[in-house]
Amino acid sequence: MAGPEILQGLDAPATNRLSPEGELGMLRTMMRIRRFETRAKELFLQGVIKGTAHSSVGQEAIAAGACAALEARDFLLTHHRGHGHTLAKGADMTRMFAELMGRASGYCRGVGGSMHIADFERGILGANGIVGAGMGLGVGAALAAQLTETGAVGIAFFGDGAASEGMFHEAMNLAAIWSLPLVFFCENNQYGLTTPTEAVIAGASIAARAQGYGVPGRRIDGNAPGAVFAAVDRAAQRARAGEGPTLIEAMTYRWDDHSMRANLGGYRSEAEEASWRAAEPIARLRGRLEEGGHLEPGAFEALNAEVEAEVEAAIETARAEDEPEMEDLAAMVLAPPPPEAPEPAPGARALTYPRAINEAFAQEMERDGSVMLMGEDIAPTGGIFGLTAGLAERFGTARVRDTPIAENVTATAGVGAALSGLRPVIEAQLFDFVTLMMDAIVNQAAKARFMLGGRACVPIVFRGPQGAGIRLAAQHTQSLEMLFANVPGLEIYAPSTPYDAKGLMATAIRSDNPVVFLEHNMLYLGPEAPVPEAPYAIPAGRARLVRKGADCTVVATLAMVERAVQAAERLAKDGIEVEVMDPRTLKPFDFDTVTASVRRTNRCVIVHEAPVFGGLGGEIAARVTSEAFDWLDAPIERVGAPEMPVPYNDRLERAFMPDAGHIAAAVRRACYRS
């Protein structure tokens, strides 16, 4: 493995760019970081800090030099080894220790921990436990800065291990084609966990990859804060001038194991560790300042004593703080819903399902300048289903933004934009492709508010068509709602009519929570239906009574609602009156209305297109049984697809989907078994 000789021949420290006072400030910053990290490790070994944390000892020059080049309006995204970056950007040390100790006064109120510290007032948009995620979030934050013309520049810090993630390439490409004000900063500390960087990086260097995206790439001495400052200052000026991103690779070395919890022996030699420690940044800068007469005899020792006193005071204060209580946590999961308003009458004007959604987009974009759309081929053609037709011409391609075929970064950038003040709507061209967005939805959007102690909102909509019936086979027609139903922090909307599609889309866009918005392929092909022209929003968690009946309640979703009505009309000829309920939103779910219906009819059938096992019907059945058991005259019936992927053959696809005949048979079983 290369030793510190790798630093020779890299960018010079460029001391002329900083005054002696500036370098003294960076020395103090590095000393604060070093002391914070060493004390944090000691507290971890004592059991005061639990879980784990990741030390940045040895890498302090990067945080100090990079953040010294930023302005107050600038922002950063960091990673699991991010204590140094947050301290250098001005985070409060006491609140950081409190968070590491799981105290309620911590930055995340004790529920986020070391890997999720954020301070939005200082432009610290969060650390992250998912490798490489900060690059995608940074793209979104930079897009927000570009669209709102704040003049802010951001840094997305990542490690050499993250340079092998697909997110690196997707984010670099997107930032380059949109000329975003973002600095990609790779801290190459020579190892990804225990794997040497040189063993997993093809090509000359990580910095050399910048050429493939047409942006500057620089490899610098990451143990020289002056070199770091000069490189970031240059990149920030370029970004502020509208010239786009820069990739910086800073060569450095971490002294400790991957994490404080790790106990991984045998992957680094003593000689290698000793040689890198001899090239560490604090001693190097101290020596140069003393040689230049800018650090008087005894000044370093006095500064060290000052830093130690600051750190010990922060620890003492943090240890005395209270821990959070369980009853405080629920409010951190979801932001409060927007104010409710009465639903308008449908009226006489009619729209198709796609046109209703398109109108919701247009009206919400007109109402709120922070609303924007992103997805593949959505401008100017309107996408493969035409749902965004005409919007690019009306609102411009900055707000109706075509993306590459890169679902991961598109979705993650959407989360970063939402955390930065925009209200993005992210399209999955077909909802099967949402599996490529899962990290953004499940690990980022759904958890951000909670991990940040309820101090953040994530107003983002992930939308697209799902479901069978259009002969696109198994990878284009799945019903995937249950992938998200068990994830706290998400809302799930499932409109079955044009009226509901428009009203619920408005609600989704106005929500301060991440919403998964399901649109069924078959509903795109449905007839026109009454939709009010004026804007309106349908409150989430309010079920719709589709048809009254006294003998059995059928709960149906999406395209199954119309099939349930067809079944009810057939059964009415035999004297069986079915009540059809459409929940409209799956999370929140209106259990009160559904349970009240079952108490009236004494029977229940639940139908959805997804397979029965693990489907939404099981959850509804459990809740209805719990709350209406004494009213049930028969076991609850569930109707869903068979346990198989969607077949391509049209006859088999029709047989795969539950239809009116399947639903009617289930109702008859419920009625005749009572």
Side-chain angles (χ1 to χ4, degrees):
M1 186 67 201
E5 65 273 7
I6 199 172
L7 303 179
Q8 299 173 10
L10 298 178
D11 284 7
T15 54
N16 59 313
R17 302 296 300 275
L18 279 173
S19 66
E21 292 76 16
E23 289 198 312
L24 282 168
M26 287 203 296
L27 178 63
R28 185 179 191 280
T29 298
M30 290 193 294
M31 294 171 69
R32 292 177 77 242
I33 295 169
R34 175 73 58 87
R35 186 61 180 172
F36 179 95
E37 297 284 45
T38 54
R39 288 293 283 126
K41 182 177 181 180
E42 291 170 0
L43 292 168
F44 174 80
L45 295 175
Q46 295 167 13
V48 177
I49 293 174
K50 305 182 189 300
T52 192
H54 302 77
S55 172
S56 64
V57 170
Q59 303 179 203
E60 298 90 349
I62 291 172
C67 291
L70 297 180
E71 299 178 1
R73 60 180 168 171
D74 295 335
F75 62 89
L76 62 83
L77 281 300
T78 184
H79 45 70
H80 51 269
R81 201 179 309 283
H83 302 154
H85 309 134
T86 53
L87 285 168
K89 192 66 168 67
D92 182 81
M93 186 179 290
T94 301
R95 292 182 66 186
M96 286 184 61
F97 270 121
E99 187 58 40
L100 268 63
M101 296 176 190
R103 302 297 197 263
S105 61
Y107 268 110
C108 308
R109 298 182 180 172
V111 302
S114 165
M115 289 186 280
H116 304 294
I117 290 173
D119 186 340
F120 283 70
E121 293 181 359
R122 290 176 171 81
I124 303 167
L125 303 188
N128 212 286
I130 304 299
V131 173
M135 289 181 277
L137 296 170
V139 165
L143 176 61
Q146 184 185 74
L147 291 180
T148 55
E149 299 181 345
T150 63
V153 167
I155 300 182
F157 289 103
F158 60 99
D160 48 280
S164 297
E165 290 278 1
M167 179 62 77
F168 169 84
H169 301 281
E170 291 186 22
M172 283 287 295
N173 183 60
L174 202 58
I177 63 176
W178 289 349
S179 297
L180 296 179
L182 186 64
V183 179
F184 290 83
F185 199 114
C186 177
E187 296 181 271
N188 187 341
N189 62 20
Q190 314 303 310
Y191 289 90
L193 199 63
T194 64
T195 303
T197 304
E198 62 186 11
V200 294
I201 298 295
S205 66
I206 293 171
R209 294 178 175 179
Q211 298 176 15
Y213 301 101
V215 303
R218 296 188 176 90
R219 203 180 207 202
I220 65 171
D221 181 352
N223 284 1
V228 176
F229 172 87
V232 173
D233 184 56
R234 197 172 349 169
Q237 290 183 40
R238 181 176 183 274
R240 250 184 267 281
E243 297 176 14
T246 298
L247 172 61
I248 298 171
E249 179 186 10
M251 309 305 292
T252 186
Y253 196 80
R254 59 171 163 83
W255 288 15
D256 292 320
D257 255 333
H258 170 71
S259 74
M260 295 179 187
R261 180 186 288 273
N263 184 19
L264 305 166
Y267 68 97
R268 302 192 297 193
S269 69
E270 292 183 5
E272 177 187 301
E273 291 188 11
S275 63
W276 272 101
R277 291 189 182 216
E280 65 100 354
I282 293 178
R284 285 174 62 183
L285 182 55
R286 173 190 178 183
R288 200 155 48 75
L289 287 170
E290 288 178 340
E291 290 173 7
H294 303 300
L295 196 63
E296 299 295 329
F300 181 84
E301 289 73 17
L303 181 57
N304 193 54
E306 178 187 328
V307 167
E308 287 189 4
E310 178 192 10
V311 171
E312 294 309 311
I315 292 171
E316 183 178 356
T317 301
R319 292 189 71 164
E321 297 290 336
D322 294 330
E323 295 185 4
E325 299 297 334
M326 197 69 183
E327 56 266 25
D328 300 329
L329 303 188
M332 301 182 194
V333 179
L334 291 168
E340 292 189 9
E343 293 183 36
R349 190 192 67 136
L351 292 178
T352 63
Y353 192 94
R355 285 298 303 161
I357 293 175
N358 179 278
E359 186 167 271
F361 289 152
Q363 291 178 347
E364 292 306 302
M365 294 180 78
E366 185 71 35
R367 186 186 68 86
D368 185 345
S370 69
V371 179
M372 66 168 301
L373 314 179
M374 288 200 294
E376 298 163 14
D377 302 302
I378 66 170
T381 63
I384 61 174
F385 294 106
L387 269 76
T388 56
L391 298 177
E393 292 85 348
R394 182 173 174 183
F395 297 101
T397 54
R399 292 180 65 193
V400 183
R401 189 168 285 244
D402 273 339
T403 66
I405 301 175
E407 289 86 357
N408 189 10
V409 72
T410 299
T412 309
V415 178
L419 288 168
S420 303
L422 298 184
R423 290 185 176 272
V425 179
I426 308 300
E427 177 179 298
Q429 195 172 73
L430 291 160
F431 220 63
D432 309 70
F433 307 157
V434 81
T435 55
L436 299 167
M437 301 179 174
M438 289 298 282
D439 178 63
I441 300 173
V442 173
N443 283 325
Q444 306 302 331
K447 295 180 175 62
R449 177 177 170 82
F450 184 82
M451 291 189 307
L452 301 179
R455 293 189 168 98
C457 292
V458 194
I460 186 171
V461 180
F462 300 96
R463 56 154 293 270
Q466 73 167 32
I470 58 173
R471 289 199 66 191
L472 288 181
Q475 292 180 338
H476 284 52
T477 49
Q478 300 166 88
S479 294
L480 299 176
E481 60 267 18
M482 290 309 288
L483 292 182
F484 308 103
N486 197 38
V487 180
L490 295 178
E491 296 182 347
I492 307 173
Y493 297 1
S496 66
T497 68
Y499 175 91
D500 287 353
K502 177 179 174 179
L504 285 174
M505 181 58 75
T507 303
I509 291 172
R510 297 177 193 182
S511 174
D512 285 333
N513 298 308
V515 176
V516 175
F517 197 94
L518 306 175
E519 305 155 16
H520 199 284
N521 283 306
M522 292 291 287
L523 296 176
Y524 285 171
L525 307 175
E528 293 183 341
V531 177
E533 186 171 358
Y536 62 96
I538 296 173
R542 182 184 292 178
R544 176 173 67 99
L545 175 60
V546 181
R547 185 185 190 278
K548 290 185 177 181
D551 297 319
C552 182
T553 297
V554 174
V555 183
T557 61
L558 290 167
M560 296 298 105
V561 175
E562 179 58 30
R563 297 187 177 198
V565 172
Q566 293 170 4
E569 291 172 351
R570 290 187 192 179
L571 292 164
K573 297 175 182 178
D574 295 333
I576 300 174
E577 291 297 333
V578 171
E579 185 152 292
V580 178
M581 300 295 303
D582 176 3
R584 303 202 284 190
T585 64
L586 309 184
K587 287 185 73 176
F589 193 96
D590 188 356
F591 284 107
D592 291 343
T593 299
V594 169
T595 301
S597 174
V598 174
R599 288 173 175 171
R600 289 194 301 271
T601 66
N602 309 117
R603 300 168 187 85
C604 182
V605 172
I606 304 162
V607 58
H608 50 69
E609 188 175 314
V612 171
F613 185 84
L616 181 69
E619 182 61 32
I620 300 172
R623 184 72 171 266
V624 169
T625 301
S626 175
E627 297 184 6
F629 180 79
D630 291 339
W631 284 265
L632 286 169
D633 290 338
I636 295 173
E637 294 280 344
R638 290 187 287 157
V639 180
E643 197 72 19
M644 65 176 67
V646 182
Y648 167 72
N649 176 275
D650 58 346
R651 179 177 58 83
L652 297 179
E653 184 182 39
R654 289 194 298 272
F656 169 89
M657 296 178 70
D659 61 16
H662 294 115
I663 299 168
V667 172
R668 291 181 191 278
R669 288 194 299 270
C671 290
Y672 295 155
R673 290 175 66 180
S674 58

